Amino acid sequence: MNSGILLVDKPQGITSHDVVSRMRRLAGTRKIGHAGTLDPMATGLLVLGVNNATRLLHYLVGLDKEYLATIRLGWNTTTDDAEGEPLVAASADGLAAATDAAIGNGIEALTGVIDQVPSAVSAIKVAGKRAYQRVRDGEVVELSSRRVTVSAFESIGRRDGDGFIDLDVRVECSSGTYVRALARDLGAALGTGGHLTALRRTRIGRFGVDEAGALEGFEVARHLMSPADAARRALPVTEVTEAQAVDLRHGKRIEAPPIASSGADAADSAPSAGDDPDPAIAAIAPGDRLIAIVERRGTQLRVVTGFPPEEVEE
């Protein structure tokens, strides 16, 4: 099986690791990783790397995300979503005060650059152990806030029920943002409590769920995206000659060719340490081969992550 990127539309009720296990069997390789998981209750886009393309996943994890979700106002839960135990319900007067204007103000306050406290049942590690596991073990977990960017948070539908209000929302956000926490914080601001009842990831960077294959009947060979194609969507690109490709494969620096900005926008680019003046660049050789991820050093490019040549099957 060649290396590449797979886009999978995860169904509800299974873990992301279940999807990875299924793909390993279908692809006939153990070397498959992911660029960010989804909770079992969530559906939507998973980006998987196969064989050497697992090296590319590091540069995809930090891409921005888009979600469609349903927030239920009326009570909190222990997990900030529908899988947790319900807590104190809002009064009828409290729900009545959740007018469209009040909801709009609450959403606006959670849009932009915000400090967000992740859900206690998140996968964040606390002293080497996942927060959700500590909660399951009966510990009280208090996580520190982290700065995230919610570039879009809009209500696209409202349904009033008996003792609750369901809001359909669309969210665009930076990596590391918890939509469950947005539901919790919106409910807190309105005085109604709130939790997530549905979540679908529709986009990661420039990868869309409309391109993804359903898990049932998934055909790996048909859906496999080349590492070069995937890199072009996520990173700036430099086209290198065959001789330069050989030098990069040997760990040598090369004089920097022109850098094409047709890959990711700056806001979509993969993770970097703060305002890194030397972003990662995909070096692509003739034949549309991803040779390496490089970074600029003066007038030269040096290899950060190399991609071995594919073994030719006879």
Side-chain angles (χ1 to χ4, degrees):
M1 173 59 62
N2 290 332
S3 300
I5 295 296
L6 295 174
L7 306 183
V8 183
D9 189 348
K10 186 189 92 67
Q12 191 173 34
I14 65 172
T15 68
S16 299
H17 295 293
D18 291 335
V19 176
V20 170
S21 295
R22 176 84 65 91
M23 289 300 112
R24 284 172 175 164
R25 291 194 296 272
L26 291 176
T29 177
R30 293 285 303 168
K31 199 170 181 183
I32 293 184
H34 60 77
T37 62
L38 286 170
D39 292 336
M41 71 163 273
T43 68
L45 183 60
L46 286 177
V47 176
L48 307 181
V50 180
N51 290 328
N52 291 339
T54 55
R55 300 183 179 202
L56 186 58
L57 296 177
H58 169 75
Y59 303 95
L60 308 184
V61 168
L63 298 175
D64 67 316
K65 316 286 195 299
E66 180 187 62
Y67 297 92
L68 297 177
T70 300
I71 295 172
R72 176 158 290 183
L73 302 174
W75 60 91
N76 291 334
T77 73
T78 54
T79 59
D80 300 329
D81 62 26
E83 297 186 337
E85 295 297 320
L87 300 176
V88 178
S91 66
D93 289 342
L95 279 175
T99 62
D100 288 345
I103 290 170
N105 289 336
I107 286 176
E108 184 178 359
L110 292 169
T111 304
V113 179
I114 63 172
D115 291 321
Q116 183 185 75
V117 177
S119 171
V121 292
S122 67
I124 294 172
K125 285 189 175 181
V126 179
K129 191 174 180 180
R130 301 289 184 187
Y132 63 75
Q133 188 59 55
R134 291 186 177 277
V135 171
R136 289 173 185 169
D137 293 343
E139 298 181 38
V140 175
V141 175
E142 294 184 4
L143 298 175
S144 300
S145 65
R146 52 178 58 189
R147 186 147 291 184
V148 299
T149 300
V150 180
S151 52
F153 185 8
E154 59 179 346
S155 174
I156 56 178
R158 170 177 174 155
R159 298 178 301 282
D160 290 52
D162 185 9
F164 65 87
I165 299 169
D166 278 350
L167 293 178
D168 297 324
V169 300
R170 185 183 73 87
V171 175
E172 291 184 7
C173 55
S174 61
S175 180
T177 305
Y178 286 87
V179 183
R180 279 180 296 167
L182 290 177
R184 175 201 66 204
D185 294 345
L186 178 60
L190 294 168
T192 61
H195 63 282
L196 208 62
T197 61
L199 181 67
R200 180 166 176 77
R201 186 158 64 195
T202 53
R203 183 178 59 78
I204 298 175
R206 299 186 180 208
F207 304 93
V209 73
D210 56 335
E211 305 173 88
L215 186 59
E216 195 64 35
F218 193 93
E219 298 179 31
V220 173
R222 183 164 73 89
H223 288 285
L224 194 68
M225 181 186 301
S226 76
D229 284 347
R232 289 182 193 279
R233 298 195 191 193
L235 298 168
V237 169
T238 183
E239 306 285 349
V240 299
T241 66
E242 198 64 58
Q244 289 172 323
V246 171
D247 284 343
L248 290 174
R249 283 234 163 99
H250 288 129
K252 296 180 181 178
R253 298 190 181 196
I254 65 170
E255 289 301 312
I259 308 299
S261 59
S262 58
D265 293 331
D268 292 340
S269 60
S272 62
D275 296 325
D276 188 352
D278 299 307
I281 302 164
I284 297 178
D288 210 38
R289 293 170 295 138
L290 178 61
I291 300 299
I293 305 300
V294 298
E295 64 182 6
R296 187 184 293 275
R297 284 292 180 263
T299 63
Q300 295 184 318
L301 299 178
R302 64 176 289 271
V303 175
V304 178
T305 303
F307 291 82
E310 295 286 338
E311 295 182 4
V312 178
E313 297 182 0
E314 298 182 357

